[in-house]
Amino acid sequence: MLEPLQWDNGKVCFLDQTKLPGEEIYRETDDYRVIAEGIRTLQIRGAPLIGISAAYGICLGAREYITIPETSFALKMHEIDAILRATRPTAVNLFWALNIMKQVWQKGLKEGCPPREISLRLDEESDALTKREYNVNYNISRRGAALLDNGDTVLTHCNAGSLACGGWGTALGIIHWAALKEKKRIQVIADETRPLLQGSRLTAFELVHNDIPVKVICDNMAGYCMSQGMVSKVIVGADRVTVRGDVANKIGTYTVAVLASYHHIPFYVAVPLSSIDFRLEEGEDIPIEERAAQEVLHFNGKSIAAPGAGALNPAFDVTPRTMVTALITERGIIPPPFEDTLKHLK
Ligand code: MRU
């Protein structure tokens, strides 16, 4: 299993995912600003890993200021929290993790704890949060594998594997569990996932690493593959799911869902409860990150569009709940309608 991020006594060591698959470069830091920049630039990416790294970012920030007076420490913690919060808007895990950490440092301040004590509590909390998330991946993978049959060809979009989550991953964890633990014959079709190629660079990398057969397709080939009977199931991850079951995931997921629905192919979403936004009902209320036009207009550092052309670059889209066959959570597989079950799981 690939380890995209580790905490080692005051330092975070993370794999720079922008360099994969060509180079496996690990960066070590004790600076929360490097973590924030890493999230913003997608060196650290995938909803669950964004949450985990932000939690450790808070630990690094607190350590930097343990010797200052409590009142200034409180101000600094607000500043660090705000910097990490502003990195990416769509994956709710970022805010979920920062809220958990905020409760810890605010409680510590209320109790009059010295910054050094608060810092220790934050270290403990982030370790516990990480362990829980890894366990969640394990259970999603284990439970979701029951949906896969011997001989299935699964199409997936973007990367929802170990690289995106640590541990088993979610959508890709299910595929790995079915193939590696249950010895089912599973093949994967990985959408390349333009513009940043998480499918061809990262998903294919993970699958090849584990000897699971994978074919990469350009995103516009998914319809053809489905029309030719080449896809038996679709499984994707999620960045934020509303309490009614609308799913924000990597741009292009909605297109895949529409195609799957037209071709009567099951469309599953693997989602930890940390990616459910219990405050939102409708997908249209999910903030969609708009990234730089450069990512679309350039490829490998070279311009690939007519000079003068602009570009749209929404990083995510929303798949309506009506197109989702089931949500696969750590607590079980949820068929529609999702709302009542999700509310019970909160
Ligand atoms: O922009 P990214 O690479 O962070 O987007 C990642 C995705 O869209 C994943 O599918 C999602 O985070 C689920 S990961 C379990």
Side-chain angles (χ1 to χ4, degrees):
M1 225 175 286
L2 292 157
E3 286 210 66
L5 190 134
Q6 279 164 307
W7 168 257
D8 185 16
N9 195 27
K11 283 199 164 55
V12 170
C13 179
F14 65 89
L15 179 59
D16 179 349
Q17 299 193 30
T18 62
K19 302 286 184 233
L20 290 172
E23 296 170 276
E24 278 181 54
I25 296 177
Y26 284 88
R27 304 195 187 283
E28 198 179 76
T29 186
D30 58 5
D31 186 344
Y32 75 92
R33 299 165 198 85
V34 174
I35 299 294
E37 186 62 6
I39 296 173
R40 206 184 55 73
T41 56
L42 271 67
Q43 295 172 54
I44 300 167
R45 51 148 297 283
L49 195 70
I50 290 172
I52 289 170
S53 60
Y56 284 124
I58 290 290
C59 296
L60 296 182
R63 279 170 177 250
E64 197 172 314
Y65 297 109
I66 43 176
T67 54
I68 66 175
E70 273 157 47
T71 41
S72 334
F73 180 77
L75 287 175
K76 281 293 172 197
M77 289 310 292
H78 278 290
E79 196 180 302
I80 296 160
D81 177 74
I83 287 172
L84 288 163
R85 251 169 228 274
T87 50
R88 296 191 76 190
T90 303
V92 77
N93 304 59
L94 174 68
F95 310 101
W96 169 85
L98 288 172
N99 289 345
I100 291 174
M101 299 303 280
K102 193 171 187 175
Q103 271 176 15
V104 174
W105 59 262
Q106 288 197 321
K107 184 165 179 277
L109 285 167
K110 234 189 227 155
E111 290 170 1
C113 292
R116 197 174 291 277
E117 164 68 23
I118 296 177
S119 164
L120 285 174
R121 289 189 189 182
L122 289 169
D123 288 358
E124 269 171 28
E125 185 63 44
S126 54
D127 278 346
L129 177 150
T130 304
K131 252 196 207 137
R132 282 199 304 270
E133 283 296 85
Y134 283 17
N135 199 35
V136 160
N137 293 345
Y138 179 91
N139 284 315
I140 288 178
S141 305
R142 181 176 64 82
R143 287 175 181 275
L147 294 168
L148 297 189
D149 297 309
N150 202 27
D152 268 345
T153 299
V154 182
L155 185 142
T156 189
H157 190 76
C158 195
N159 171 267
S162 298
L163 288 169
C165 312
W168 277 81
T170 58
L172 212 50
I174 291 169
I175 292 167
H176 276 97
W177 191 287
L180 303 179
K181 289 258 192 197
E182 297 178 350
K183 307 289 177 214
K184 290 175 182 160
R185 215 167 17 85
I186 308 287
Q187 301 192 57
V188 179
I189 293 180
D191 279 351
E192 65 175 351
T193 318
R194 273 282 287 152
L196 297 179
L197 303 175
Q198 288 91 332
S200 56
R201 293 190 304 106
L202 309 178
T203 294
F205 180 77
E206 288 196 41
L207 290 163
V208 168
H209 190 83
N210 289 304
D211 284 330
I212 298 173
V214 53
K215 290 201 167 78
V216 173
I217 58 169
C218 299
D219 298 325
N220 52 5
M221 296 172 187
Y224 173 79
C225 293
M226 290 186 191
S227 75
Q228 298 302 301
M230 293 157 72
V231 177
S232 39
K233 276 148 201 165
V234 175
I235 308 185
V236 296
D239 287 85
R240 190 185 298 222
V241 173
T242 69
V243 77
R244 289 197 171 161
D246 295 338
V247 176
N249 191 46
K250 180 52 57 193
I251 190 74
T253 303
Y254 169 59
T255 316
V256 173
V258 172
L259 287 168
S261 158
Y262 181 80
H263 292 285
H264 307 292
I265 295 169
F267 180 91
Y268 297 114
V269 178
V271 57
L273 294 179
S274 57
S275 300
I276 310 263
D277 189 337
F278 288 96
R279 297 161 319 135
L280 290 190
E281 295 197 332
E282 300 299 330
E284 65 195 32
D285 295 326
I286 298 175
I288 299 295
E289 177 181 10
E290 182 74 29
R291 294 187 62 85
Q294 183 89 346
E295 290 178 353
V296 173
L297 298 172
H298 286 70
F299 187 81
N300 257 350
K302 280 201 177 130
S303 166
I304 52 164
L312 299 173
N313 191 11
F316 301 93
D317 58 26
V318 176
T319 298
R321 51 193 176 270
T322 49
M323 289 181 183
V324 177
T325 309
L327 297 173
I328 307 165
T329 75
E330 64 269 34
R331 305 270 293 278
I333 296 165
I334 308 177
F338 304 114
E339 191 170 357
D340 282 351
T341 319
L342 284 179
K343 278 184 175 157
H344 273 104
L345 294 182
K346 192 181 171 184

